[in-house]
Amino acid sequence: MTLSNGREYLAIPGPSVMPDRVLRAMNRAAPNIYEGDLIDMVAAMIPDLRAVARTRHNAAIYIGNGHAAWEAALANVIAPGDTVLVPATGRFAHGWADMAHGLGVKTDIIDFGRSTPLDPARVEESLRSDTKGRIKAVLVTHVDTSTSIRNDVAGVRAAIDAAGHPALLMVDCIASLACDRFEMDAWGVDVMVAGSQKGLMVPPGLGFVFFSPKAAEARARMPRVSRYWDWTPRANPEHFYQYWGGTAPTHHLFGLREALTMLHEEGMEAVWARHAALARAIWAACETWGQEGPLTLNLTDRAYRSHAVTSLRIGPPHGTELRQWVSQKAGVTLGIGLGMAEPGDPAWHGFFRIGHMGHVNAHMVLGVLGAIDAGLKAIGVPHGPGALDAATAVIAEAA
Ligand SMILES: *Cc1c(COP(=O)(O)O)cnc(C)c1O
């Protein structure tokens, strides 16, 4: 039999669960894009968006996914033939580097593997040895969604400053924004990219690029930037269509407005604290399962674990078996292991991820953990007892 009939639950690291309030806000007729409510709403929304990014500076919005935001950010400040330094801790850092490569940019990659956070000292060393000033930017992935490593962005800023290097600090917060603490201005970040479908709880389709005055100066020095990617009119539009380089993404904007309202009602500190507590509950359960049997968290050091996603190893074929069991029998979809092994390699079936970004609360997380616990029993994977007790103890204490 199956016990999956009921509300399906998506626990993958993006797209994330959409709040009913966001869905209701989007359920409306097409609005006028030339005058009226939409235009007023957007003008008032930009400051709220900046507040989530913790910046006083510029915000540009693109109709596109995270990959579009990656390209947009690069296209404004990095010219073909320039070099970027990429400390990599998983698949997404390599993805952004590959995007740069496609634009004719040289990429110096420092590969930290899949289970070690980046070391700012190695970044500093590379910058110090760049005596000709070839490196135009350091590309950091705050949370790498494949490995669930959260990197020390402020540490990279300190490394750039210690080396006395003029490189821009560019950060991918697509997985982490509104989940893990991120302080764009306080941490000296020049460019930050984000997407709508993770911590921001809106369907995929909006990409965001936030940029500092220093990044705006770098943009001004570019020999040329394509009209579509140019962030200048998007961040300072004279006409409404210039925000989007064309027709506005109307319904996404109503969804985003509602999501930002929800984040502001809760408060960013409370949003971060909620994600931190729920992450600790998940880790407590996973560490308890791991006391017997093959399940382990990808990252040992809690200080570098993301609060938005958790990557796990369980050995092939149990990752795939477990995902299938919880989906078919319990109505919960877990994330595949991404970038941990090549698809086609039997090892690929030994990983899975739990997404816990955005619209998640204690009962949602406990439901996922309960489904996994049942799945481990059903498929016969040995595991330590008491994982749910460990998780509920964390939640009882945190709340
Ligand atoms: C999801 C994600 C991306 C890619 O976003 P898309 O919307 O799939 O293009 C890039 N970086 C990180 C860290 C992500 O989590």
Side-chain angles (χ1 to χ4, degrees):
M1 73 176 290
T2 175
L3 297 169
S4 68
N5 289 305
R7 182 178 276 241
E8 297 277 322
Y9 185 74
L10 194 63
I12 69 175
S16 63
V17 173
M18 285 183 286
D20 292 340
R21 280 176 63 176
V22 168
L23 292 172
R24 277 198 298 272
M26 298 178 74
N27 187 0
R28 63 172 73 211
N32 187 352
I33 57 166
Y34 296 107
E35 57 189 24
D37 292 350
L38 182 68
I39 284 92
D40 300 341
M41 183 187 80
V42 168
M45 188 169 73
I46 302 293
D48 292 347
L49 196 56
R50 285 201 210 106
V52 171
R54 309 287 266 198
T55 182
R56 288 175 293 115
H57 303 302
N58 309 280
I61 308 178
Y62 296 84
I63 300 178
N65 55 20
H67 283 69
W70 273 349
E71 178 152 345
L74 292 167
N76 276 278
V77 287
I78 311 292
D82 284 351
T83 300
V84 293
L85 180 66
V86 187
T89 60
R91 170 75 163 265
F92 286 94
H94 290 286
W96 201 7
D98 185 56
M99 187 65 86
H101 181 72
L103 291 168
V105 173
K106 297 197 185 83
T107 53
D108 286 359
I109 297 176
I110 315 176
D111 197 341
F112 291 91
R114 295 169 182 150
S115 301
T116 316
L118 72 77
D119 176 3
R122 296 263 311 273
V123 174
E124 185 180 332
E125 210 175 282
S126 296
L127 293 173
R128 281 188 191 280
S129 63
D130 179 37
T131 47
K132 296 210 176 89
R134 288 183 317 120
I135 296 170
K136 293 292 184 279
V138 183
L139 270 48
V140 176
T141 303
H142 184 210
V143 164
D144 201 299
T145 324
S146 59
T147 55
S148 67
I149 293 170
R150 184 186 57 216
N151 287 302
D152 176 7
V153 172
V156 176
R157 174 80 265 164
I160 297 171
D161 292 348
H165 199 287
L168 296 173
L169 174 55
M170 301 176 68
V171 183
D172 172 348
C173 287
I174 298 172
S176 56
L177 191 68
C179 303
D180 286 276
R181 176 182 292 278
F182 174 79
E183 302 278 1
M184 176 153 172
D185 291 355
W187 294 353
V189 173
D190 294 301
V191 179
M192 186 270 271
V193 301
S196 52
Q197 78 273 29
K198 299 189 182 179
L200 292 179
M201 310 178 288
V202 175
L206 295 179
F208 305 93
V209 179
F210 300 88
F211 58 97
S212 71
K214 183 178 165 189
E217 285 166 25
R219 157 69 191 91
R221 288 194 301 272
M222 286 285 281
R224 70 186 157 85
V225 173
S226 88
R227 282 275 184 276
Y228 190 77
W229 290 131
D230 192 355
W231 65 31
T232 316
R234 290 174 186 260
N236 299 289
E238 275 176 44
H239 306 286
F240 186 67
Y241 79 90
Q242 290 176 314
Y243 276 115
W244 330 104
T247 304
T250 52
H251 285 62
H252 277 74
L253 296 174
F254 289 111
L256 180 63
R257 171 65 276 173
E258 190 64 22
L260 292 171
T261 301
M262 291 174 70
L263 290 172
H264 290 295
E265 282 170 3
E266 186 175 359
M268 287 311 293
E269 293 289 342
V271 168
W272 291 328
R274 170 169 54 86
H275 280 90
L278 296 174
R280 287 199 306 276
I282 291 168
W283 304 339
C286 296
E287 285 163 358
T288 308
W289 284 321
Q291 282 165 10
E292 293 166 33
L295 192 136
T296 54
L297 287 111
N298 183 42
L299 212 66
T300 329
D301 189 345
R302 286 185 164 217
Y304 294 98
R305 285 184 194 157
S306 157
H307 296 163
V309 52
T310 299
S311 299
L312 298 139
R313 307 164 178 267
I314 191 171
H318 304 315
T320 300
E321 277 177 359
L322 181 69
R323 281 192 300 102
Q324 287 174 347
W325 192 93
V326 299
S327 155
Q328 288 162 12
K329 305 294 184 181
V332 172
T333 304
L334 297 171
I336 59 168
L338 192 66
M340 301 302 279
E342 292 308 311
D345 180 347
W348 190 86
H349 297 283
F351 304 92
F352 69 100
R353 291 175 301 162
I354 304 172
H356 37 104
M357 45 183 52
H359 193 55
V360 281
N361 63 19
H363 92 75
M364 294 154 98
V365 159
L366 290 172
V368 171
L369 296 174
I372 294 173
D373 197 69
L376 292 170
K377 291 179 169 65
I379 65 175
V381 174
H383 55 282
L388 296 179
D389 276 350
T392 54
V394 172
I395 286 185
E397 220 231 285

